[in-house]
Amino acid sequence: QVQLVESGGGLVQVGGSLRLSCAASGSIFGINAMGWYRQAPGKQRELVATIRTDGSTNYVDSVKGRFTISRDNAKNTVYLQMNSLKPEDTAVYYCKVTKFFSSYWGQGTQVTVSS
């Protein structure tokens, strides 16, 4: 099993920044991709960004140029730096890691962007 602990969410004004962190522990051998998803009220959960072990990244178009995903393999932690936040970024953000053929989710952290 892999345990994920997220932190860094909160309330921020339009144009502000937040940095999310997700630390993995437990049976971490074999973790490949790490990423962030989000779910706004009344909407489906969507991919925000992913990063693989080789450092390759993928972003949803709506956050390109504003969000940056990174990972510290030594600390088994993935980060999401969010800049120029917009009201439409308001959602619960979930960390997800993929290990072999299994996926593990964090508990979610609320991000609210106020105008």
Side-chain angles (χ1 to χ4, degrees):
Q1 291 291 327
V2 176
Q3 292 79 45
L4 301 172
V5 178
E6 300 156 346
S7 61
L11 174 65
V12 65
Q13 291 187 332
V14 170
S17 298
L18 284 174
R19 188 192 194 206
L20 306 182
S21 300
C22 173
S25 62
S27 183
I28 59 175
F29 175 78
I31 286 179
N32 183 5
M34 304 181 79
W36 292 93
Y37 289 68
R38 66 186 179 187
Q39 187 166 18
K43 295 188 177 181
Q44 290 187 330
R45 191 172 298 188
E46 67 168 353
L47 168 71
V48 177
T50 59
I51 184 166
R52 303 184 73 85
T53 305
D54 63 3
S56 59
T57 58
N58 181 50
Y59 296 91
V60 66
D61 286 346
S62 60
V63 307
K64 287 180 179 177
R66 300 188 298 121
F67 291 10
T68 302
I69 190 170
S70 60
R71 64 190 284 177
D72 184 332
N73 290 326
K75 296 182 179 180
N76 301 304
T77 299
V78 61
Y79 305 96
L80 185 68
Q81 178 66 45
M82 305 185 293
N83 298 328
S84 301
L85 283 161
K86 304 176 180 180
E88 52 263 42
D89 294 318
T90 295
V92 178
Y93 284 70
Y94 296 90
C95 173
K96 175 186 173 184
V97 301
T98 303
K99 172 183 171 179
F100 299 121
F101 300 107
S102 299
S103 295
Y104 301 87
W105 292 89
Q107 79 284 0
T109 185
Q110 178 70 46
V111 172
T112 302
V113 184
S114 67
S115 55

